[in-house]
Each structure stands twice: as structure tokens, then as C-alpha cells.
Amino acid sequence: MTPTVVKLIDTSLCIGCKACEVACQEWNDQEFTIGTFGGTYQTMPDLAPNFWNLIKFNERETDGGLSWLMSKYQCMHCGDPGCLRACPAPGAIVQARNGIVDFVSDNCIGCGYCITGCPFDVPRLSPETKKVYKCTLCSDRVAVGLEPACIKSCPTNCLSFGERTEMLRVAEKRASVLKTDGYAEAGVYNPPGVGGTNVLYVLKDVADPVSYGLPKDPTIPWSVVLWKGPIKWLGTLLLAGGVLGSFFHYLKFGPKHEEADDDEPV
Amino acid sequence: MNRYSFAERTVHWLSALSFLYAAFTGLAMWSHKLYWLAAVFGGGNATRFAHPWAGILFALVLGVMFRSWAGQMRLDREDREWLLNSHRYAMNQEEGLPDAGRFNAGQKMLFWFQSLAALALLATGVVLWFPEWMPRTLRLIAIALHPLAAIGAIALIILHVYMGIAVVPGAFKAMVHGTVTQGWARAHHPKWLKEKRLP
Ligand code: HEM
Ligand code: SF4
Ligand code: SF4
């Protein structure tokens, strides 16, 4: 069986050097578009169609000071991806057996449904190509046995990559080390609402992922569940019922009389 | 005798064609099982491009239709009685049903539902059209409501087309040529025939 691959991000070890951002741009051969300066240390305020990996400097005020909660913002490679559920074009989003969720531009029609389906607000629609883009977890590198570019470039071991059960074990161990270091709330971010994610975080405060820019208890959006569940059911029933119903109605009752007897002169 | 003017028929067929185009391209994106429809309309990207425009055309044409017909589509007491007994109409047992005017109560209901659906499809469709510019909450609502309204509208149109082509012989001809026979009018819209005969 193909093992599921995981990227582990130990946010406590991130020094904000942004080597991973550069490695991502380089490997994926993306031009860097100069954006707006948001008054922070971040490279960009947000992800972009040609910028898939953002180191966030989440600022948190402490008594008399400021601390940074570092986090790495990219596709989470969900176990149950909302983007995939929403996508109307077969083959535009694929979930590989190793867990990587990949966008296949050739099949993408640019409808943007995946943007709405994603609980992490990751896919970005390019106005030029009318296709969506996001982190591929370097599926092209992983396929030939290499680790993703960001992992390769990280100088502090904040990022590591490997087989899922092994990475979960490493993550738990890191969290317990943090706990003994005084971070009582340290833990692993692996939200079950989206079937777990193949990007795992070790957070100093796992009860408050929002401070890291991560949603608390993310799930596939309610309306996407409704849309791809009951509404689709109802629709199939109504459309098939309408066609079949008409057919059998005709068999049973047939047409109305074309004309009433025209006996009255005008 | 004349039933539909040239203008009325033009509006009707423009709405029909734009609706069918929007419906088939929309259905292609509604289910993977119907995605082959996208190939019929020039591929996925062409479908994504053309669908909203067909939808806009449909909404515009329906606006025109609304302006010209809304006055004649008001439901009166007889219409309500007709609706309560519409199962008899469905079973071709019209005796005892109130006489229909230019439009029977079923046609009037179709008119109001389609107008409402056009409005809902337009509002939610525009949200889906430009996901980058729309707030997330709006998109979440639109993504559930748009197909819901579409399915309702398509189901009614299946019924409408079936009746116009198969159940009421002469109705299709009326919408193409604009004319009906007096016998047809007496059979299906007797009150309208009487009104027409008044000077
Ligand atoms: C009134 C203007 C309309 C606009 C602006 C509009 C726009 C859209 C957009 C942007 C989408 C997303 C996919 C795409 O871009 O092609 C969509 C999907 C769809 N539309 Fe429309 N539309 C309109 C009217 C209609 C009409 C008249 C119908 C037919 C009954 C219809 C049926 C559908 C369906 C079935 C879908 C797929 C929904 C799904 O994926 O579940 N739309 N529409
Ligand atoms: S934009 Fe592309 S990948 Fe996203 S849902 Fe639409 S077809 Fe699928
Ligand atoms: S984070 Fe968003 S884009 Fe990535 S797999 Fe999950 S739902 Fe899809």
C-alpha cells in the first residue's frame, strides 16, 4: 500500500526566515509579483495564484510586549477535501493515494467552487488563466522520492516530511516536549472535521488555533454538504420524476381533445 | 384567430432558448454524471464562460415578459377554485372546472414561479460568477440556492414543455404561428373566447 505522506510544521521552531517561501517559488518556477506592504514582517498579506506558501507573523500582544505566533499558510491536503467535494469538473482535483490533493489545471474550468468548498480558504483563482492554483505538496518531487522543496530548505527542522503514522508520533513527542517546557496547552493540530489533514501543526496553544490563523474545528461548509447531499438527491428525484412522470401520464391519460365541437357561429 | 402577437412569440422563444442553454450548461456542472453535456457545449471552459451570459439573457427576457404579461396573470377567485381542482385538469376531466381566460390558473402559476426563479437565479448566479469578489457567506448561500432554484425551474419547464407539446394539441402551433382555431379556444380557454367576441 502507498503510504500517506505528511508535512509536519512545528511552529515553535519557525524563525521566520522565509527560506521555504523562496524554495516554493523557485521549485514551482513562479514569478514573484510585488504586492502591498501590510505593515508586518510578512512577505505578502495573503496567498496568491502564484504564491502558494506564506509564513504568517501572527502578532499577539502580551503584558507589555508583543509576541509572534509563527505559522505556515498553505493547502492542508485534507483527508476529506471540501475543494474536491465541490468541484464540478471530473479530474480537475485529484486526491492521490499518498494523500496529496492536487489541482490539474488542464481539467479546471475556473468556476471557483473549490474556493467556497475549502474550509481553509486556500485555492486562488488566476484572472489571467482562469484556473485555480495552490500548494501541490510538491507532488512532482514526492513522486520521485524527494521531499517537498519547503522541507528541503528549512534550516531549523521546523518542517519535516514523512509517512503519516511516523509523523503523528513525532508530532506528539514534540508537543509533549513543549508541555514540559511550560506550554501546558501544547498539542497537535489535525482537525477531525475534515478527515484529518496531511499537513500537521505542533502549536504551543492548540486550544486557540485561531491566533495562528487556523480555524477552530473546521468542517466542510454546511451549504456544500447540503448542496452535494439533499439538494442533489431532491434534484435527481424531481428531474427524473418529471421526465418519467410525464411519460406515464401520457400513457394513462393521453392528450386533451384538440377542439370543442364548433357549433356556435361567431 | 390570433392568440400570440409576433412580439409575444419572440419573447417566449428567446426565453425558451436562453433557458435551455443555461439549463443544459448548468446541469453539466451540477453532476459529474452530466458533465458530458459540457462537451456538447464546447468543453468545460466554454461552458463556464457561456452559462452566466445565457442566464443573464434569460433574466432580461423574463423581465420583458413580466412587464407585458404580469397584468394578465393575476389570479382571481375562479383561478383559485381551478387550482384546488387541478387534479381533475390533470386527468382530462375538465367538466365542472371554472372556465379559463386567456391563461388558465396553471399557466399563471408557472408564470409567477418562473419569474421568481429568474430573480433568484440572477441574484445567486452573479454571486457564483465572481467568487473572488464575493463575501464567503454570500457564496455559501448562493451555492446551495442557485441549483435549488434551477432544479425547481427545470422541473416546471419539463412539465410545461410536456403539456405544450403532448397534452394540448394545438398549443405548440399557437406559440409558433400565433394562431388557434375557435374550437381550440372554446375547448381550452372559453372565457377568453367570450371576451374576444365582445365588441
Ligand atoms: C440569471 C443569470 C444566471 C447567472 C449569472 C448564472 C451563473 C451561474 C454560475 C456563475 C454558475 C457556476 C458555474 C459557471 O460559472 O458556469 C452557475 C451554475 C449553475 N446554473 Fe446558473 N446562472 C444563471 C441562470 C441560470 C438558469 C436560468 C439556470 C437554469 C435553470 C441555471 C442553472 C444552473 C445550474 C444547474 C448550475 C450548476 C449548479 C451546481 O453546480 O450545482 N442558471 N450559474
Ligand atoms: S475552479 Fe477548477 S478546481 Fe476549482 S472547483 Fe472549479 S473546476 Fe474544480
Ligand atoms: S486545504 Fe482546501 S484546497 Fe487544500 S485539500 Fe483542504 S479543502 Fe482542498
Side-chain angles (χ1 to χ4, degrees):
Chain A
M1 216 188 98
T2 324
T4 306
V5 292
V6 156
K7 161 156 64 182
L8 173 61
I9 304 164
D10 183 346
T11 55
S12 69
L13 293 179
C14 178
I15 56 170
C17 71
K18 305 164 184 170
C20 57
E21 288 183 359
V22 177
C24 181
Q25 295 301 92
E26 285 286 324
W27 176 259
N28 294 300
D29 202 12
Q30 317 239 52
E31 217 173 295
F32 183 76
T33 319
I34 296 184
T36 44
F37 176 60
T40 73
Y41 276 72
Q42 280 177 208
T43 318
M44 298 262 274
D46 201 0
L47 297 178
N50 61 353
F51 186 70
W52 303 339
N53 166 36
L54 172 68
I55 293 299
K56 276 194 184 171
F57 289 61
N58 303 289
E59 296 174 2
R60 182 149 81 167
E61 285 190 46
T62 53
D63 317 327
L66 185 81
S67 76
W68 275 321
L69 296 176
M70 308 305 299
S71 71
K72 187 173 179 295
Y73 179 26
Q74 84 278 273
C75 171
M76 302 290 285
H77 298 275
C78 306
D80 184 3
C83 58
L84 178 58
R85 214 157 326 158
C87 180
I93 301 180
V94 291
Q95 187 175 31
R97 256 175 301 172
N98 64 7
I100 295 182
V101 179
D102 222 348
F103 286 6
V104 183
S105 297
D106 281 350
N107 295 330
C108 172
I109 63 170
C111 65
Y113 282 1
C114 52
I115 303 171
T116 307
C118 172
F120 299 95
D121 187 25
V122 166
R124 292 290 181 274
L125 190 62
S126 157
E128 287 102 45
T129 62
K130 302 268 186 236
K131 313 248 177 200
V132 286
Y133 302 93
K134 69 160 187 69
C135 155
T136 66
L137 204 65
C138 286
S139 51
D140 47 352
R141 291 174 58 93
V142 174
V144 293
L146 297 172
E147 58 190 359
C150 54
I151 315 280
K152 181 100 181 154
S153 69
C154 180
T156 69
N157 268 340
C158 159
L159 304 180
S160 42
F161 181 77
E163 194 263 314
R164 184 168 175 89
T165 41
E166 168 67 7
M167 285 295 115
L168 275 168
R169 202 181 54 75
V170 174
E172 290 298 345
K173 207 168 112 201
R174 279 297 308 163
S176 65
V177 169
L178 282 173
K179 274 185 191 148
T180 54
D181 281 357
Y183 296 102
E185 295 294 324
V188 181
Y189 185 78
N190 177 28
V194 292
T197 52
N198 292 322
V199 171
L200 300 173
Y201 291 85
V202 174
L203 303 178
K204 285 182 199 163
D205 184 358
V206 79
D208 181 23
V210 178
S211 302
Y212 289 87
L214 294 165
K216 197 173 166 65
D217 304 323
T219 52
I220 294 187
W222 57 272
S223 80
V224 172
V225 173
L226 207 66
W227 160 43
K228 290 296 177 185
I231 294 180
K232 206 155 167 177
W233 261 89
L234 184 77
T236 311
L237 213 70
L238 265 177
L239 298 189
V243 172
L244 288 177
S246 299
F247 182 74
F248 286 109
H249 179 270
Y250 195 74
L251 282 189
K252 176 102 172 86
F253 298 105
K256 294 182 184 299
H257 292 298
E258 174 145 16
E259 304 208 337
D261 300 328
D262 199 358
D263 49 5
E264 269 178 79
V266 183
Chain B
M1 56 192 285
N2 286 330
R3 177 152 170 86
Y4 297 117
S5 69
F6 175 67
E8 284 176 322
R9 280 175 283 146
T10 308
V11 168
H12 177 268
W13 286 112
L14 275 180
S15 79
L17 290 176
S18 55
F19 182 88
L20 288 179
Y21 201 102
F24 283 123
T25 50
L27 284 174
M29 289 171 294
W30 182 60
S31 163
H32 283 189
K33 295 198 181 73
L34 296 175
Y35 194 69
W36 55 269
L37 281 169
V40 179
F41 291 91
N45 292 290
T47 303
R48 161 55 166 130
F49 172 81
H51 172 86
W53 289 108
I56 293 286
L57 181 64
F58 171 70
L60 284 178
V61 173
L62 231 71
V64 176
M65 187 190 282
F66 190 87
R67 281 196 54 172
S68 70
W69 276 355
Q72 308 174 35
M73 293 292 178
R74 294 227 172 77
L75 290 143
D76 57 26
R77 186 181 300 132
E78 286 188 347
D79 286 326
R80 257 165 242 139
E81 194 191 325
W82 191 99
L83 285 176
L84 287 177
N85 295 299
S86 52
H87 55 280
R88 305 189 38 194
Y89 180 83
M91 294 189 295
N92 295 348
Q93 300 163 358
E94 274 95 349
E95 312 82 40
L97 277 179
D99 283 354
R102 184 170 187 216
F103 297 107
N104 70 33
Q107 292 172 305
K108 290 181 180 176
M109 292 303 285
L110 177 77
F111 172 84
W112 294 112
F113 273 121
Q114 289 306 97
S115 304
L116 190 71
L119 206 62
L121 285 166
L122 179 65
T124 53
V126 169
V127 173
L128 296 181
W129 202 355
F130 306 103
E132 323 86 290
W133 311 118
M134 296 293 165
R136 185 168 176 79
T137 323
L138 270 188
R139 275 186 279 130
L140 286 173
I141 295 170
I143 214 158
L145 272 190
H146 193 79
L148 199 65
I151 292 297
I154 295 171
L156 284 176
I157 289 304
I158 292 177
L159 185 68
H160 175 65
V161 170
Y162 165 58
M163 298 202 37
I165 290 176
V167 180
V168 185
F172 187 75
K173 216 179 94 211
M175 211 22 114
V176 178
H177 301 290
T179 55
V180 294
T181 62
Q182 288 195 12
W184 185 93
R186 183 169 308 112
H188 303 290
H189 298 274
K191 210 162 87 188
W192 173 61
L193 183 65
K194 271 188 210 125
E195 283 158 13
K196 278 225 130 167
R197 278 171 171 178
L198 294 177

